[in-house]
Amino acid sequence: MQTRQLLTTGIFCLGLTLLAPETQAGKLPSQEPSVQKPNILIILTDDLGYGDVQCYNPEHGKIPTPNMDRLAKEGMRFTDGHSSAAACTPSRYSILTGRYDWRSRCQRGVFGGFGGPPLISPDRMTIGSLAKQNGYRTAAIGKWHIGWNWPIQENENKLMGTKTLEQIEAESEGEGNPRTPSIEDFAVDGFYSVKPVAGYKTPEPTEEQRAAWQKIFSRPIGGGPTALGFDMYYGVDAPGYPPYCMIENDRTVGIPSEFLKSEEVLPAAMLGEVQGPAVKGWDFYKTMPLMIDRTCSVLTDSAKTKQPFLLYLALPAPHQPWAVTEAKRKKSGLSLYADWVMETDDAIGKVLQTLDKSGAAKNTMVILVSDNGYSPYGVAQLIKKGHYSSGPFSGFKATPQEGGHREPFIVRWPGVVKPGTVCDQVVQQTDIMATMAEMFGTKLPDNAAEDSFSFLPLLKGENYPTRPNSINHSGQGGYAIRRGDWKLILEVDKKGCAPVQLYNLADDIAEKNNLAAKYPERVEELRSLMAKLVADGRSTPGAPQKNDTVVRWIRK
């Protein structure tokens, strides 16, 4: 499937710009802290579509999500909230740095297994380092996927033994085995009958490989969360890619000594997507529960101290591996993906329950977002059953349409955010950093959070545009830019350039009527704005900054 191939190779960034009217936008924040510093819990889901959460899609959302719905009922639900990109690596970069991913070397694609070097440079401020500077304990738990300095020498790469599903399937067919069914084939019964690749057997590591793995995985891994402002880390790089092991701070938990079992390298990336080193007894079904248990432990311990805390929880779900427990299997009545969304909601519920029990909930801001839209595996079958993962929008993960990056965006903050409120202003995950800074009464330096606009006024009940523009990056390396309701898409196709698209979202939220030919002046206006934002190295007020690489955005 073309979408899958795009998302499992290279480095990609989605480029869609969201721009609000410029009246009042870009106000300089107050430098006085508005309230006592709250604890901050950021829950980043993975591949959760706008329409997958019931409160966002009451008519065409068929998956029960009571815990996420509860969070919205107790806080503010943004209807125009966005990730910076339509895929995980780039959007994670932006949520952590307050900077557009395409200003980094992430020009398209996502990191694969053993991805690196780190996308975030060691001297760049992150939400972790910002919080630490302001007296916070900081922790990161879950999927990292923005690069490490793996201690692998160039001549050791071949000893990793990595092999993609596509390679395994091609080899199987070449040996005369039956063709592996397509994703569309598996989708017919909701992915409940996915079987291992015919004829594929678990490889046995050579002595040379085991010796190399022992050396490599006994060393610290540089450039990760603990090098970027977080006091502790526990999680995985990416759950469907090697190495198949947990990582604690800068060390693997255990030494990978075997390859992933053949029955766990499943078509459609249901479990392992790439063969590679694994610790003995690796269990996909325990990955998220381990993360949730650690999260609950950190919340409980942190609540016992007087020091405020920041916890960044990057869930690996509902992205593949769809490691649905037997208790949840087929409970949705829709598909294995829908079951996994229900399990994700349960995990969020356990975290919120722990926060309540700890006594810290009353002074904790909880932010719930998704890194990009639903990956369209089996989307036709879901639609037949009445479920629309993208809600009313066109597009899915990796696309510049709204369905690729307009995501659930919920904030609960007792005593500040009025429960049950809905905000229609444009916000982006890059804005979290500036919002934190305004809460702390801290002025950000010019070389930090270059694309972050505080939405603190919106949380307090104000109703005006807080960001004058916004850009999102597509899987093909294209861009989209929006001013008010006008949105320009500058996408690429297989030939390198797709037709320019212009939409007025006020009249055409599904982006069906391309107005580029009718309003050429709007096209040029948004092109000029894009050129300025790229050249300035920032979209916020301040001294111009340099991008990390040449940004090739121009489309004819």
Side-chain angles (χ1 to χ4, degrees):
M1 183 179 181
Q2 183 178 358
T3 302
R4 176 168 170 234
Q5 292 173 344
L6 168 66
L7 294 175
T8 56
T9 59
I11 288 185
F12 102 91
C13 298
L14 290 148
L16 189 59
T17 299
L18 301 167
L19 284 156
E22 294 185 349
T23 57
Q24 300 192 64
K27 281 186 174 181
L28 290 176
S30 164
Q31 298 308 309
E32 292 298 323
S34 53
V35 293
Q36 178 187 0
K37 291 177 184 176
N39 305 310
I40 303 170
L41 170 60
I42 299 171
I43 304 174
L44 175 65
T45 59
D46 196 341
D47 282 13
L48 182 71
Y50 184 99
D52 288 331
V53 180
Q54 278 260 306
C55 63
Y56 276 94
N57 194 16
E59 184 176 353
H60 294 294
K62 305 300 182 184
I63 306 173
T65 53
N67 294 296
M68 288 185 272
D69 294 346
R70 170 204 161 189
L71 200 63
K73 186 177 180 180
E74 295 173 349
M76 177 176 287
R77 177 169 63 89
F78 288 92
T79 63
D80 212 346
H82 300 254
S83 57
S84 73
C88 47
T89 296
S91 61
R92 286 160 205 275
Y93 175 90
S94 293
I95 197 172
L96 289 168
T97 66
R99 185 187 191 222
Y100 288 137
D101 56 276
W102 48 266
R103 297 196 190 280
S104 74
R105 69 179 191 281
C106 178
Q107 296 299 294
R108 58 175 292 147
V110 300
F111 278 132
F114 300 106
L119 203 55
I120 302 177
S121 61
D123 58 347
R124 175 158 289 279
M125 180 181 283
T126 67
I127 57 172
S129 58
L130 172 64
K132 276 181 69 70
Q133 290 174 14
N134 285 274
Y136 278 65
R137 294 167 52 132
T138 59
I141 296 175
K143 177 179 175 180
W144 185 241
H145 207 203
I146 46 179
W148 304 77
N149 286 317
W150 291 99
I152 303 173
Q153 301 301 315
E154 187 173 349
N155 64 349
E156 295 173 326
N157 284 324
K158 65 181 185 298
L159 297 175
M160 293 295 99
T162 56
K163 188 175 289 187
T164 66
L165 266 171
E166 288 81 2
Q167 292 172 316
I168 292 170
E169 290 168 355
E171 289 176 4
S172 172
E173 288 186 44
E175 293 168 358
N177 291 299
R179 179 188 69 86
T180 301
S182 68
I183 290 173
E184 290 74 16
D185 293 333
F186 287 126
V188 173
D189 78 338
F191 297 94
Y192 291 115
S193 62
V194 177
K195 293 180 173 59
V197 177
Y200 180 61
K201 294 181 174 57
T202 306
E204 182 71 19
T206 66
E207 289 305 312
E208 185 182 15
Q209 284 178 316
R210 282 202 172 98
W213 297 356
Q214 178 68 40
K215 182 180 75 169
I216 290 166
F217 297 116
S218 295
R219 295 174 176 173
I221 316 162
T226 56
L228 295 168
F230 293 98
D231 295 324
M232 64 81 62
Y233 170 72
Y234 182 76
V236 296
D237 183 38
Y241 296 156
Y244 294 106
C245 61
M246 303 305 290
I247 301 172
E248 185 157 15
N249 297 327
D250 62 352
R251 301 269 184 168
T252 62
V253 179
I255 304 295
S257 60
E258 58 188 34
F259 281 111
L260 202 62
K261 297 290 188 291
S262 60
E263 61 269 23
E264 294 180 325
V265 184
L266 286 181
M270 291 299 96
L271 290 179
E273 189 170 350
V274 178
Q275 180 59 279
V279 293
K280 188 174 182 178
W282 176 251
D283 188 345
F284 286 104
Y285 295 88
K286 292 181 179 178
T287 304
M288 188 157 71
L290 285 170
M291 295 176 187
I292 296 303
D293 287 348
R294 181 61 65 92
T295 298
C296 293
S297 175
V298 169
L299 287 174
T300 300
D301 291 344
S302 297
K304 295 175 182 176
T305 73
K306 294 182 179 180
Q307 189 178 9
F309 64 81
L310 164 70
L311 174 53
Y312 167 68
L313 171 60
L315 293 173
H319 191 293
Q320 294 100 327
W322 291 346
V324 180
T325 59
E326 200 59 40
K328 277 286 185 287
R329 195 174 176 86
K330 296 190 176 181
K331 292 296 184 181
S332 68
L334 295 170
S335 70
L336 192 64
Y337 169 76
D339 299 342
W340 194 219
V341 172
M342 291 177 64
E343 195 138 346
T344 304
D345 186 74
D346 280 356
I348 291 169
K350 185 175 181 180
V351 170
L352 296 178
Q353 185 179 43
T354 299
L355 190 63
D356 290 340
K357 288 182 177 179
S358 75
K362 61 183 178 293
N363 189 39
T364 300
M365 178 204 286
V366 180
I367 301 175
L368 173 71
V369 290
S370 177
D371 63 348
N372 48 250
Y374 168 64
S375 184
Y377 282 31
V379 64
Q381 298 299 322
L382 283 175
I383 289 174
K384 283 181 181 179
K385 295 181 179 182
H387 180 77
Y388 292 69
S389 283
S390 291
F393 310 119
S394 294
F396 301 94
K397 177 177 181 175
T399 71
Q401 282 73 31
E402 294 292 286
H405 53 84
R406 192 186 290 215
E407 313 302 340
F409 199 124
I410 300 170
V411 181
R412 186 186 74 180
W413 187 2
V416 177
V417 173
K418 184 179 178 181
T421 51
V422 177
C423 181
D424 297 328
Q425 298 294 344
V426 174
V427 293
Q428 199 181 90
Q429 291 164 23
T430 50
D431 299 335
I432 292 173
M433 194 166 181
T435 303
M436 288 171 53
E438 185 172 3
M439 288 161 51
F440 300 159
T442 298
K443 181 176 173 58
L444 291 164
D446 276 337
N447 64 347
E450 294 94 331
D451 301 297
S452 188
F453 294 85
S454 173
F455 54 79
L456 184 59
L458 304 179
L459 299 180
K460 293 180 174 182
E462 299 282 353
N463 187 27
Y464 62 83
T466 52
R467 63 164 32 243
N469 48 67
S470 175
I471 299 175
N472 299 86
H473 203 189
S474 86
Q476 298 285 358
Y479 297 82
I481 181 165
R482 175 180 154 193
R483 182 192 297 274
D485 294 319
W486 289 97
K487 173 180 170 182
L488 180 69
I489 294 178
L490 304 166
E491 183 58 300
V492 294
D493 58 18
K494 290 181 179 179
K495 296 181 180 179
C497 186
V500 169
Q501 301 170 58
L502 178 71
Y503 300 102
N504 188 317
L505 298 181
D507 303 323
D508 182 22
I509 197 64
E511 297 169 273
K512 300 296 185 184
N513 185 21
N514 186 358
L515 301 173
K518 185 175 181 180
Y519 297 105
E521 71 283 1
R522 289 282 186 185
V523 172
E524 289 310 308
E525 174 188 332
L526 291 171
R527 280 183 183 274
S528 297
L529 178 59
M530 183 74 187
K532 174 175 172 52
L533 296 178
V534 171
D536 288 352
R538 68 182 317 123
S539 53
T540 55
Q545 300 295 309
K546 290 184 178 180
N547 299 316
D548 296 349
T549 189
V550 176
V551 180
R552 303 186 186 281
W553 66 272
I554 297 176
R555 311 283 185 264
K556 295 182 180 180

